[in-house]
Amino acid sequence: MKTPKSEKDKSEKETEKTAVSNSAPPPNFIRNIIEDDLKTGKYGSKVVTTRFPPEPNGYLHIGHAKSICLNFGFAIEYKGRCHLRFDDTNPSKEDVEYVDSIKADVRWLGFDWGEHLHYASDYFGQLYDYAAQLIKDGKAYIDSLSADEIREYRGTLTEPGKDSPYRNRSVAENLDLFERMKAGEFKDGAHVLRAKIDMASPNLLMRDPTLYRIRKVSHHRTGDKWCIYPMYDFTHCISDSIEEITHSICTLEFENNRPLYDWVLDQLRVYHPQQIEFARLNLTYTVLSKRKLIELVTGGFVSGWDDPRMPTISGLRRRGYTPEAIRNFCERIGVAKRDSTVDMALLEYCIREDLNKKAQRVMAVLHPLRVVIVNYPENQVEELDAVNNPENPNAGTRKVPFSRVLYIEQEDFREHPPKKFFRLSPGKEVRLRYAYFIKCEEVIKDENSGEIVELRCSYDPATRGGDAPDGRKVKATLHWVSASHAVKAEVRLYDYLFSKANPADEKESPDWKSCLNPNSLDRLTECRLEPSLAQAKPGERYQFERMGYFCADSDSDQSSLIFNRTVTLRDEWAKIEKGQSKK
Ligand code: ATP
Ligand code: MG
């Protein structure tokens, strides 16, 4: 079907605006390290082994996606392996629900760990033996100071720590106490196992860090088998070593833990992977800390982990994001050594770019205004051709019913139009997309409220398809639905979850929850959609012409359709980028 030039609607203009140059990803310092290691044969074989080690104490978020894309991405690029390993050493906060959601999210993002699904808890036996080896070598001791005393003895950034009075216990006594800790003879907190390093080290983490503590709680995988649990710093490096990880990539906050990572592996004289740190992802208008996200869920500030306003993978999925858009976003932001905050508009740009190619166009009226075409025959229905996706010539066309009573968008009519308002107003003519020119003849108002309830319009039968044979022009093309054919739906519009760009910045906003955006959700319950959407299945994505990209919600079904707006058509990122290039 021929689309007249004048019929360039918002969605098509959108395409032009999003055609921002696809610049190459910035140089990646981790890739350089891997390339060097492969050249020098540092790890013998050519296989690059990475891992993604989440703690199963929450759902994954877009920051984790950066780490997942990086780790699994390198494994794919170098034909190596990437392991999914649950860092489950803190039994009280962990849950099978989280393990399952993490696996589902990694798979949905498009990655596969193959046979390499691991749990740090699988290594509890080996970790215990390694701890005993450290004791035998005089590199670890049982300390019986209380937690408060240990803190006091640790010193500060400016003052060195003090040795614990238990630091010089004999190997035999240490071994005996360690075994009895394991056997459950002591209460929580009575003793801990500590590495014997240096209480005066400028790095506080090296001041005899705790390696094991007593926790008499059940573990979601090992049950009540253990009542002592290894600490993260001890577990993590040994797990990497056992799995023969070559490049152990983590975020910058672990930079100070690296000397301890290396110390443990050096003392044990085992296979020694290298830890490499990169800057974590921060995004504007949201928070990416699991502690804060848990608070939002348990405090009822959102409907759950998969609330479409959440930056979680499950929230983004429900909102309508695609794995491709998220992977593309992660590639564009690149990896660096310095922390920075990425503009949410870039994430939105990536999803628009993807959906522009994929999403079928449909017509949906979010705030309906009734229009009666007075000169259109009462019982006539015409099936008009509509283009499914102007970006995809193979997407074809569909039929849209046109009849005497229609709905248009309330905002497309003004009784007293301001200057440059080219849409419908009394006496003015506009085009109905794929249909006819119509002209507003009369405005009907509610007698009591004065509210506009209906427009009476005439149509020009000669303009079928959207063009006038006499060459006359109109300045606006409106979307519409046929009142008797349309399906009713609830549509949820979202705004940012926070009204401040950096809600996590404690200097700017000491109480991060005080900047939650009270208008982040707008539920429209009277929307009318073209009938082709009656069968929409949860997860299906569409462009509602002129209104944005939408996705059928997971709770949507044929008896009550619910759509989430994924993103508007407005392209903030293109504007920002244009602005930056002008500077
Ligand atoms: P939190 O501190 O919010 O609890 P975490 O870093 O402890 O998050 P984990 O689930 O333990 O979260 O981390 C799994 C992996 O994901 C780690 O390697 C971590 O470095 C990485 N990761 C977590 N958050 C981000 C982020 N914002 N950007 C990039 N990587 C991240
Ligand atoms: Mg953690």
Side-chain angles (χ1 to χ4, degrees), residues 122-381:
D122 290 344
Y123 310 133
F124 281 172
Q126 276 158 289
L127 288 161
Y128 180 84
D129 293 342
Y130 279 127
Q133 185 185 324
L134 285 184
I135 296 176
K136 285 179 202 151
D137 292 345
K139 302 288 183 186
Y141 63 98
I142 303 294
D143 196 358
S144 309
L145 291 178
S146 70
D148 284 343
E149 287 166 330
I150 289 180
R151 208 169 302 124
E152 240 169 73
Y153 275 65
R154 185 173 298 130
T156 63
L157 280 173
T158 49
E159 275 173 46
K162 277 193 302 190
D163 284 1
S164 160
Y166 302 101
R167 198 173 197 259
N168 292 316
R169 275 175 164 151
S170 69
V171 167
E173 189 184 358
N174 281 324
L175 272 181
D176 174 60
L177 283 170
F178 193 43
E179 266 167 39
R180 289 165 58 199
M181 277 167 67
K182 179 185 172 215
E185 280 189 34
F186 308 113
K187 288 198 307 270
D188 284 16
H191 306 285
V192 291
L193 178 73
R194 296 179 72 176
K196 199 179 208 174
I197 308 179
D198 177 8
M199 287 305 292
S201 169
N203 180 347
L204 265 67
L205 291 176
M206 296 297 273
R207 293 185 187 172
D208 291 9
T210 301
L211 305 181
Y212 260 93
R213 72 218 149 122
I214 304 171
R215 297 295 308 274
K216 293 199 167 162
V217 283
S218 290
H219 185 279
H220 71 100
R221 299 196 79 237
T222 58
D224 293 322
K225 183 168 179 214
W226 296 89
C227 64
I228 56 172
Y229 290 97
M231 302 297 287
Y232 167 83
D233 282 312
F234 184 63
T235 311
H236 192 65
C237 54
I238 295 176
S239 306
D240 279 356
S241 173
I242 291 171
E243 293 176 20
E244 297 191 357
I245 302 299
T246 57
H247 300 82
S248 173
I249 302 162
C250 62
T251 37
L252 274 184
E253 69 270 23
F254 292 100
E255 208 166 11
N256 283 337
N257 303 59
R258 181 161 22 103
L260 182 51
Y261 184 103
D262 291 335
W263 184 90
V264 171
L265 298 181
D266 285 343
Q267 303 311 310
L268 294 172
R269 298 175 297 276
V270 291
Y271 174 84
H272 197 144
Q274 64 178 315
Q275 176 179 311
I276 306 167
E277 306 88 16
F278 70 96
R280 64 193 290 128
L281 169 67
N282 299 302
L283 252 193
T284 56
Y285 298 102
T286 193
V287 290
L288 293 182
S289 136
K290 267 191 284 182
R291 185 179 60 75
K292 289 183 174 143
L293 295 176
I294 288 171
E295 233 177 297
L296 290 178
V297 173
T298 54
F301 296 98
V302 292
S303 65
W305 284 101
D306 68 346
D307 185 302
R309 293 166 293 180
M310 290 281 272
T312 50
I313 305 297
S314 49
L316 292 168
R317 173 166 62 231
R318 186 167 172 191
R319 174 92 170 241
Y321 273 75
T322 59
E324 292 80 3
I326 295 176
R327 291 200 304 261
N328 188 260
F329 169 75
C330 292
E331 193 165 305
R332 275 167 193 266
I333 57 177
V335 273
K337 268 277 183 197
R338 197 156 357 115
D339 274 318
S340 65
T341 301
V342 174
D343 203 307
M344 182 71 96
L346 178 61
L347 183 61
E348 294 176 345
Y349 168 77
C350 292
I351 184 65
R352 270 191 205 102
E353 186 184 49
D354 194 32
L355 292 181
N356 181 44
K357 288 177 286 183
K358 292 178 183 164
Q360 177 174 328
R361 275 59 171 167
V362 290
M363 292 197 283
V365 176
L366 304 190
H367 296 93
L369 172 59
R370 198 176 138 92
V371 171
V372 178
I373 313 286
V374 288
N375 59 339
Y376 195 83
E378 285 273 355
N379 293 316
Q380 183 170 307
V381 178

Side-chain angles (χ1 to χ4, degrees), residues 27-197:
N28 180 332
F29 76 96
I30 304 179
R31 186 176 285 112
N32 295 344
I33 296 176
I34 294 177
E35 296 279 351
D36 282 349
D37 292 344
L38 289 175
K39 256 182 240 150
T40 59
K42 184 168 176 185
Y43 293 100
S45 79
K46 284 255 165 195
V47 173
V48 169
T49 310
T50 54
R51 84 287 171 275
F52 174 62
E55 198 181 337
N57 61 350
Y59 280 58
L60 297 183
H61 54 61
I62 181 81
H64 291 113
K66 175 176 176 179
S67 178
I68 291 168
C69 290
L70 207 59
N71 281 293
F72 282 93
F74 283 135
I76 293 167
E77 189 177 338
Y78 294 103
K79 298 194 170 51
R81 302 197 303 261
C82 181
H83 300 185
L84 175 61
R85 183 201 314 139
F86 288 99
D87 163 25
D88 55 352
T89 51
N90 189 357
S92 53
K93 289 194 180 154
E94 292 157 8
D95 206 309
V96 188
E97 178 197 346
Y98 296 137
V99 170
D100 292 342
S101 76
I102 291 170
K103 287 199 269 187
D105 287 350
V106 174
R107 270 200 209 103
W108 179 78
L109 279 173
F111 298 108
D112 182 9
W113 51 87
E115 295 161 10
H116 291 282
L117 177 63
H118 303 287
Y119 293 84
S121 55
D122 290 344
Y123 310 133
F124 281 172
Q126 276 158 289
L127 288 161
Y128 180 84
D129 293 342
Y130 279 127
Q133 185 185 324
L134 285 184
I135 296 176
K136 285 179 202 151
D137 292 345
K139 302 288 183 186
Y141 63 98
I142 303 294
D143 196 358
S144 309
L145 291 178
S146 70
D148 284 343
E149 287 166 330
I150 289 180
R151 208 169 302 124
E152 240 169 73
Y153 275 65
R154 185 173 298 130
T156 63
L157 280 173
T158 49
E159 275 173 46
K162 277 193 302 190
D163 284 1
S164 160
Y166 302 101
R167 198 173 197 259
N168 292 316
R169 275 175 164 151
S170 69
V171 167
E173 189 184 358
N174 281 324
L175 272 181
D176 174 60
L177 283 170
F178 193 43
E179 266 167 39
R180 289 165 58 199
M181 277 167 67
K182 179 185 172 215
E185 280 189 34
F186 308 113
K187 288 198 307 270
D188 284 16
H191 306 285
V192 291
L193 178 73
R194 296 179 72 176
K196 199 179 208 174
I197 308 179

